Amino acid sequence: MPTYDVDSTSVPTLEELNLFRQHVATLRETKESRHEQFVSIKKQIILCMEELEHTPDTSFEKDIVCEDESAFCLSLENIATLQKLLQQVIYAQIMV
């Protein structure tokens, strides 16, 4: 996410503080939403891998399946890669 510019040379006005609070609230909502997406997709991937008797091969797969959820970077790029991996394991499941 882009940084939020704050003028460090002066005391912020009440309006500036409120805008900053809104910005922080939006970031928290975004993080919560992405975390929910991550957990949901992760569960689906793990179920598919178990059904396929597939162990994680790549470092990304290992990060998803084995690592602590809080350590996963919830960037848009990682969420997209996670969705792509889910599609791949679903496809592999169908092909079996």
Side-chain angles (χ1 to χ4, degrees):
M1 301 289 297
T3 59
Y4 189 86
D5 292 328
V6 177
D7 182 7
S8 61
T9 62
S10 64
V11 176
T13 65
L14 288 177
E15 182 180 343
E16 290 171 330
L17 284 174
N18 285 333
L19 289 172
F20 184 70
R21 284 185 186 110
Q22 289 173 357
H23 177 72
V24 170
T26 300
L27 290 176
R28 284 186 178 135
E29 290 170 8
T30 300
K31 181 181 177 184
E32 185 177 318
S33 172
R34 289 183 188 176
H35 185 261
E36 288 172 6
Q37 271 185 296
F38 167 71
V39 170
S40 174
I41 296 170
K42 175 183 174 173
K43 287 179 184 177
Q44 293 175 61
I45 289 171
I46 290 172
L47 288 173
C48 289
M49 285 184 169
E50 286 174 355
E51 219 172 278
L52 292 167
E53 297 179 359
H54 173 76
T55 55
D57 295 331
T58 66
S59 61
F60 187 76
E61 289 177 2
K62 290 175 185 174
D63 287 347
I64 295 165
V65 176
C66 305
E67 295 294 318
D68 179 23
E69 288 179 2
S70 63
F72 186 79
C73 176
L74 299 170
S75 67
L76 288 175
E77 181 181 322
N78 278 353
I79 296 293
T81 304
L82 194 63
Q83 290 170 331
K84 184 178 177 182
L85 177 59
L86 176 60
Q87 291 172 349
Q88 290 171 348
V89 294
I90 289 173
Y91 180 75
Q93 194 176 27
I94 292 170
M95 299 307 292
V96 172

